[in-house]
Amino acid sequence: MNISDFHGSATTLSVESNGRGIAGSTTHGVGRSTPLRVDAQRNLEHVLRAAREVFGELGYGAPMEDVARRARVGVGTVYRRFPSKDVLVRRIAEEETTRLTEQAKAALGQEEEPWQALSRFLRTSVASGAGRLLPPQVLRVGSAVEDGAEEAEAARVPHQRQAVVGGGALDLRVGGTRSAMEDEPSDDAGAGALLEVVGRLVHRAREAGELRADVTVADVLLVIATAAPALPDPAQQAAASTRLLDILLEGLRSRTA
């Protein structure tokens, strides 16, 4: 099942005592729908924003209660919109995958120099924090699009982190053991688009002799999924993130570039 397959279940109608639907775009007969009420739409936006922040900071293992607390709504409100944690996780992962794809396309279209295009994509994606919310199957198959390099990737890329989704263990390792989410088809259209456009960035930089020959798409995705330790001062946090990315970029670059 693809990520997008879960969206239908995420709009399950919930009814208040006055009989009005609040959970989503509800259906009354074929081809007819009712839009979200203003307060329900506002709650949805708060929940999605909170989920991005909480999952970005703590990983997909963070409980739904943390999301509700950050959104300043009751946990029941979260579950009315997202019947299970898997549904919310997949919604966030799909949206962040789409955001990264657009950032990669912008870098390709606005930077003629291959290394500058790749560097721009990495800096933009790290600044947005979207890389920390990538679905695990994207990280796992990232190098499979590159001439069968998956086995080399599995030996080279370290653990990312562990999480628990829906009460079961979710392994977020690149090339690690398969998880419940990874058992879903990994050819989701959104994930495929991201892998394709990042693959073009990698190929251009490698052909220009500016990227190490052994660097794969999975390596690039791992860079944007890596975050500096959380620091209490925002300026220090930004400086630490920039410094970490500078070091990682230097590691990707060809020694002859």
Side-chain angles (χ1 to χ4, degrees):
M1 183 178 293
N2 293 338
I3 292 171
S4 59
D5 294 335
F6 281 74
H7 287 185
S9 60
T11 58
T12 302
L13 175 63
S14 184
V15 180
E16 289 182 329
S17 59
N18 62 6
R20 297 176 66 186
I22 65 171
S25 188
T26 63
T27 302
H28 302 284
V30 178
R32 296 166 57 197
S33 64
T34 302
L36 283 172
R37 264 179 21 192
V38 173
D39 56 342
Q41 179 63 41
R42 187 186 308 115
N43 283 341
L44 172 61
E45 292 170 357
H46 288 169
V47 168
L48 290 174
R49 184 182 305 112
R52 291 186 195 99
E53 294 174 358
V54 170
F55 292 149
E57 294 168 9
L58 304 177
Y60 284 126
M64 293 282 263
E65 289 77 8
D66 282 4
V67 174
R69 191 176 302 113
R70 184 73 63 91
R72 297 183 178 181
V73 298
V75 71
T77 298
V78 180
Y79 277 109
R80 279 197 296 272
R81 282 297 301 166
F82 301 97
S84 73
K85 185 175 177 180
D86 276 348
V87 177
L88 178 57
V89 165
R90 291 170 186 272
R91 170 71 175 266
I92 297 298
E94 182 183 66
E95 290 184 353
E96 298 310 300
T97 298
T98 298
R99 182 190 301 188
L100 284 170
T101 302
E102 293 305 313
Q103 291 170 349
K105 288 180 178 178
L108 273 172
Q110 298 175 21
E111 296 287 349
E112 294 184 3
E113 179 65 30
W115 177 257
Q116 292 302 319
L118 179 60
S119 177
R120 172 176 176 154
F121 167 63
L122 289 171
R123 292 187 185 281
T124 302
S125 58
V126 167
S128 72
R132 296 193 298 274
L133 295 167
L134 278 171
Q137 64 266 33
V138 174
L139 291 171
R140 189 177 196 279
V141 306
S143 67
V145 298
E146 297 188 27
D147 301 326
E150 191 172 37
E151 292 185 3
E153 170 212 351
R156 183 171 65 254
V157 182
H159 291 201
Q160 185 183 7
R161 62 182 141 180
Q162 290 277 338
V164 176
V165 172
L170 171 61
D171 189 351
L172 296 188
R173 291 177 295 172
V174 181
T177 57
R178 294 183 63 82
S179 69
M181 285 186 72
E182 285 175 308
D183 284 335
E184 304 296 340
S186 59
D187 60 346
D188 177 80
L194 174 63
L195 295 174
E196 190 276 331
V197 70
V198 175
R200 288 163 59 192
L201 285 166
V202 169
H203 178 73
R204 288 180 62 205
R206 185 187 293 140
E207 288 295 299
E210 297 177 303
L211 185 70
R212 282 170 38 185
D214 63 331
V215 172
T216 68
V217 170
D219 295 328
V220 171
L221 294 178
L222 186 62
V223 167
I224 64 176
T226 302
L231 299 173
D233 182 82
Q236 291 181 351
Q237 177 68 44
S241 296
T242 299
R243 178 60 178 160
L244 176 60
L245 182 55
D246 287 342
I247 294 170
L248 293 173
L249 281 169
E250 187 63 28
L252 296 178
R253 197 157 193 177
S254 170
R255 296 182 185 276
T256 60

